[in-house]
Amino acid sequence: VLPFAWSKNLTSEIYTFVNDNGRYFLVNIRFLHIMVPRLVYSLWCSLVLLMPALAEAQVDAILRSPFVLAPTIEGVLLCDSAAKNPSLKSLDQAVADCRTHKSHGAAALNRLLNHLEPGGPKGSVQVGYTLTMELLKLYKQTPKGWVIDDDQVSIFLDFISKVPRPVVLYLSAGHFDSQGSIVQELEKDPDNWMRIGDGSVPRLGYFGYRILPYTLRTDPQIAVNRYRFNALRHVAKRIKLLPKSVQERIIAFTLAGEVHHLFTDFESGMGRYQNISVTDYHPASVADFRRWLAREYGSLQVMQQKTGLNYRSWNDVNAPSKDIRKEQLDSFGDHYDAFAEGTLPIFGWLWDPHKHTQRLELFINGKIAGPVTRGLHRLDVYRAIDEITDPNVGYRVDFDYRHLSPGHHLAQIVATAKGQQHLVAEVTFTVVSSKQDSVPTDKPRGLRRLEKSSVLSGLRTHLDQPRAGQDVYFNPLARDWNRFRELQVRDYLEQFHAVALQAGLPPEKLYSHQILPEVNSSWNPQLFAIGASLDGKSAWKTGLNLYGGATNSPWVQQFLRNRGINTYGVPEFHTQQWKNPNVHIAAMRSHLNSGARFISPYYFSLVPQRYKGNAESGVNRLEIGPDNTKDGSDGLYRAILELAKE
């Protein structure tokens, strides 16, 4: 039974365990003069036996590697000589000058990190950094075609060699990898891009930064995939040639970037529920959808029985893309909108500083329909109302309306406070059948004589969705389309991960680099179609980008527990709060205690002010430093200094 039974002649005499109120002790140890080496091993094994009696978090703290603060760094390719040269008028000129001299910003980064954690990385919390390598940007054009610029790869690896700190290497290959000279070549090939419902390629940006809708299909013969995967293989090959001590500094590789579907109005349309337009309607993607349907249903007859939709052949099945309210459908299966998969999102926010509310519940037509999730992220509300000091004020329930009969219905959000029910919000909606029969005009009845929640002191609330009278049409094929789009996201990440493994990158260090739309109560997760990649069953370790209230969110922690995710990373992290000075270190500690290997505060900059300009954007508000008061960036800076002392 004992793990140290390798010492047959001594085990039975020397190791005896007794139980005293659930605690285990190692007793009756003799011959210590010959057992010192084995005693060390025995003590380790006794710790294993102690595990059932210790809190899981305490055991994790003993066994795991140091918790690494690995901030993302802007300007790593800018060397000191160019940064100090006033004749270099732009950042691009300065970086080009550094490359000419085969130099980079390692010296500047060492100074910054030594300020954050003097004396080098040590202790249970260590300061490192995140280094971003955009894979497509590694290519250069030659008379023989596009090849990887190995000198550029060498600069990055030399940088790692000269910064003796833990590093998270972000291997970027998603829609933000859009600045390389190869991009113009890729734009000529229509197979490289996802498309929206009208067949066009969406033109997208994010705070002035161009993003590109690269395909999520995994075919390695597609040009953009060939270039991305070959660059990944090349970087992995070069990493394996580094000295072992340098390789060991790389504590994690985050893969590909934020992999998800795209949609029009990307910068500000995350919460759009009306007139949505999503990807991927490329003809090859639609053909994949038809093949997937054939596998799922087995035959058109079975599909008709389960969905009520009738098609003569699989080739007649279209990917749903048309809004029934304004477009002519060839079949009801063509209908697609934010409600077509059979759920009605009902969400808003509730600020209850005196904690009156014991629970929130949804009632439909006067009957309870289930609990309403609270504590979701609403940074927009936090920004807009001074008295609200916590951005986690969102509530939401995605109500499955498929069992309701056609007609008008009433949804009510009800708070229970001190045993009494209070009306938080109510809204009517209309279920319409696929045949668009006439809708009954009877007014739905709800709970009566409810006192409004406004009588509770300090409580403020607002219902955002749905709009009053929202009409909803359930299309089973829209549900299948959303599920298929989620699988496209997961399959692409699986392919990227498989290439990383085949190239020899260590599996225990491979993380995703995903966002979590569901933590934002007002976002539309269908736009992203990301759920299947975050189910906790993937071969890679989970990496979640977290901002605002999501950085310290009981909902996020429950999300991780529900999926059995107990080792993870946070490849992007910023608290974006300024009303409470304690939120920053509390947020970082929450991940230290929950099993995170690293968090990557976004971001520090090595770029001199003269290259930044004076224009403010949503991104540079997040630059972490003692003088940037925007979005609490100065408070996060001080919290990093404090936590790094441990």
Side-chain angles (χ1 to χ4, degrees):
V1 175
L2 297 178
F4 30 84
W6 48 268
S7 180
K8 292 183 180 179
N9 59 326
L10 296 174
T11 299
S12 59
E13 296 182 5
I14 295 180
Y15 301 104
T16 303
F17 283 81
V18 296
N19 186 304
D20 178 15
N21 294 325
R23 294 173 294 175
Y24 290 87
F25 296 90
L26 184 63
V27 297
N28 192 25
I29 299 178
R30 293 177 287 173
F31 308 108
L32 289 183
H33 63 287
I34 63 171
M35 286 299 296
V36 170
R38 296 181 181 182
L39 179 60
V40 172
Y41 179 72
S42 301
L43 291 174
W44 171 256
C45 294
S46 69
L47 176 61
V48 174
L49 292 175
L50 278 167
M51 285 182 182
L54 293 173
E56 183 176 345
Q58 293 174 313
V59 174
D60 286 345
I62 294 170
L63 298 181
R64 70 172 179 232
S65 301
F67 178 66
V68 177
L69 302 174
T72 298
I73 308 297
E74 177 190 54
V76 295
L77 299 181
L78 180 62
C79 55
D80 282 351
S81 60
K84 297 175 182 177
N85 187 345
S87 68
L88 299 171
K89 301 302 183 182
S90 72
L91 181 59
D92 288 342
Q93 288 179 339
V95 170
D97 184 76
C98 296
R99 181 167 180 178
T100 299
H101 295 91
K102 296 184 178 181
S103 187
H104 44 62
L109 182 59
N110 276 318
R111 291 193 297 271
L112 170 63
L113 301 182
N114 286 335
H115 173 72
L116 297 176
E117 185 188 22
K122 58 185 182 296
S124 60
V125 177
Q126 299 180 4
V127 174
Y129 64 102
T130 294
L131 181 65
T132 302
M133 291 183 70
E134 296 170 286
L135 296 183
L136 291 176
K137 203 172 181 179
L138 297 176
Y139 282 91
K140 66 178 180 180
Q141 192 171 24
T142 71
K144 296 183 179 180
W146 292 96
V147 300
I148 293 174
D149 185 348
D150 205 43
D151 288 342
Q152 190 176 172
V153 177
S154 295
I155 289 173
F156 280 106
L157 299 186
D158 185 64
F159 187 96
I160 294 174
S161 298
K162 292 183 177 176
V163 180
R165 293 272 183 169
V167 56
V168 174
L169 189 56
Y170 172 19
L171 300 173
S172 172
H175 44 270
F176 282 102
D177 185 7
S178 61
Q179 304 302 304
S181 56
I182 197 174
V183 168
Q184 290 183 344
E185 181 73 17
L186 294 173
E187 287 184 302
K188 299 175 184 177
D189 185 348
D191 281 344
N192 292 325
W193 310 107
M194 294 192 289
R195 300 186 187 180
I196 54 178
D198 64 6
S200 65
V201 176
R203 303 292 177 181
L204 307 170
Y206 191 69
F207 294 108
Y209 189 92
R210 185 189 187 199
I211 62 175
L212 295 172
Y214 299 122
T215 182
L216 293 175
R217 289 178 290 133
T218 58
D219 182 354
Q221 298 308 311
I222 297 174
V224 67
N225 287 344
R226 185 169 68 252
Y227 288 121
R228 292 190 284 195
F229 297 157
N230 284 343
L232 175 57
R233 294 184 184 100
H234 185 91
V235 170
K237 180 179 178 181
R238 290 292 313 276
I239 287 172
K240 290 192 295 182
L241 296 176
L242 291 171
K244 198 70 174 176
S245 59
V246 177
Q247 291 186 49
E248 290 174 352
R249 290 180 197 159
I250 305 174
I251 63 166
F253 299 88
T254 65
L255 301 178
E258 295 177 345
V259 180
H260 56 75
H261 275 277
L262 294 172
F263 44 91
T264 53
D265 191 21
F266 178 76
E267 184 173 317
S268 57
M270 280 81 165
R272 176 175 289 185
Y273 285 86
Q274 306 296 332
N275 303 314
I276 64 172
S277 184
V278 301
T279 53
D280 177 22
Y281 294 93
H282 188 288
S285 175
V286 174
D288 287 342
F289 175 55
R290 291 171 179 147
R291 284 188 286 270
W292 177 80
L293 286 173
R295 291 193 300 271
E296 287 292 299
Y297 288 105
S299 71
L300 283 167
Q301 292 74 21
V302 172
M303 179 176 168
Q304 180 178 351
Q305 292 170 4
K306 292 188 175 182
T307 67
L309 301 171
N310 188 18
Y311 296 96
R312 290 176 298 176
S313 73
W314 290 113
N315 288 335
D316 291 330
V317 180
N318 295 319
S321 65
K322 298 178 181 179
D323 190 331
I324 196 171
R325 302 170 189 84
K326 58 183 182 179
E327 296 175 88
Q328 183 67 40
L329 309 185
D330 295 325
S331 161
F332 183 74
D334 293 345
H335 171 59
Y336 187 77
D337 68 2
F339 320 105
E341 74 169 19
T343 57
L344 176 68
I346 303 171
F347 62 82
W349 57 269
L350 185 148
W351 170 242
D352 184 8
H354 301 303
K355 303 186 185 307
H356 298 292
T357 306
Q358 298 164 284
R359 63 182 181 271
L360 281 186
E361 294 170 305
L362 172 68
F363 286 77
I364 300 294
N365 302 329
K367 296 181 179 179
I368 190 166
V372 176
T373 300
R374 295 179 63 193
L376 296 168
H377 186 221
R378 288 298 299 267
L379 188 63
D380 57 332
V381 178
Y382 176 87
R383 289 189 190 281
I385 304 176
D386 288 341
E387 69 191 68
I388 293 180
T389 57
D390 183 351
N392 291 326
V393 295
Y395 68 78
R396 178 174 178 130
V397 57
D398 290 300
F399 174 65
D400 186 341
Y401 65 80
R402 291 178 295 171
H403 65 284
L404 294 180
S405 60
H408 302 300
H409 301 276
L410 177 66
Q412 294 176 304
I413 302 293
V414 176
T416 298
K418 297 181 180 179
Q420 299 296 315
Q421 291 182 326
H422 299 265
L423 181 64
V424 173
E426 64 180 11
V427 64
T428 58
F429 63 97
T430 303
V431 175
V432 187
S433 73
S434 61
K435 297 179 181 179
Q436 301 181 63
D437 300 325
S438 59
V439 175
T441 57
D442 294 342
K443 186 176 180 181
R445 303 183 65 178
L447 292 178
R448 302 296 183 184
R449 297 185 296 277
L450 284 180
E451 196 170 24
K452 291 187 176 181
S453 61
S454 57
V455 303
L456 301 173
S457 63
L459 189 144
R460 297 185 63 173
T461 186
H462 185 265
L463 177 74
D464 295 297
Q465 286 283 351
R467 65 184 184 185
Q470 177 67 59
D471 52 333
V472 294
Y473 308 73
F474 170 54
N475 174 16
L477 199 61
R479 176 194 56 202
D480 290 337
W481 176 237
N482 282 341
R483 183 180 167 206
F484 171 75
R485 292 169 61 243
E486 286 195 8
L487 295 177
Q488 284 186 310
V489 172
R490 188 199 65 188
D491 289 349
Y492 180 78
L493 262 174
E494 285 183 345
Q495 181 68 13
F496 202 91
H497 178 260
V499 173
L501 286 179
Q502 292 163 5
L505 294 182
E508 71 277 6
K509 294 184 179 182
L510 300 181
Y511 291 75
S512 59
H513 193 114
Q514 291 290 66
I515 57 175
L516 183 56
E518 288 84 354
V519 74
N520 302 280
S521 72
S522 60
W523 284 21
N524 183 353
Q526 295 175 26
L527 302 177
F528 300 87
I530 208 170
S533 69
L534 294 173
D535 59 6
K537 301 175 183 178
S538 306
W540 56 83
K541 288 183 168 62
T542 298
L544 289 178
N545 297 342
L546 301 174
Y547 288 89
T551 56
N552 189 10
S553 164
W555 185 91
V556 171
Q557 299 301 331
Q558 188 62 48
F559 176 92
L560 295 171
R561 286 192 294 270
N562 288 345
R563 287 154 181 77
I565 300 171
N566 49 31
T567 301
Y568 65 100
V570 186
E572 296 178 27
F573 174 98
H574 198 297
T575 45
Q576 293 183 283
Q577 297 171 65
W578 57 92
K579 300 177 184 179
N580 181 343
N582 299 318
V583 297
H584 314 287
I585 197 161
M588 291 190 288
R589 285 195 187 282
S590 73
H591 295 288
L592 185 158
N593 294 329
S594 296
R597 177 72 174 91
F598 66 91
I599 62 172
S600 298
Y602 185 90
Y603 64 102
F604 283 83
S605 180
L606 304 178
V607 178
Q609 186 60 43
R610 72 176 188 274
Y611 291 139
K612 296 179 182 178
N614 297 318
E616 179 181 304
S617 74
V619 173
N620 61 30
R621 295 175 65 88
L622 304 182
E623 183 181 338
I624 301 168
D627 302 319
N628 184 15
T629 59
K630 300 179 181 68
D631 278 12
S633 297
D634 54 342
L636 180 55
Y637 171 82
R638 290 188 290 271
I640 290 172
L641 286 174
E642 181 178 348
L643 193 61
K645 295 175 183 177
E646 298 187 4

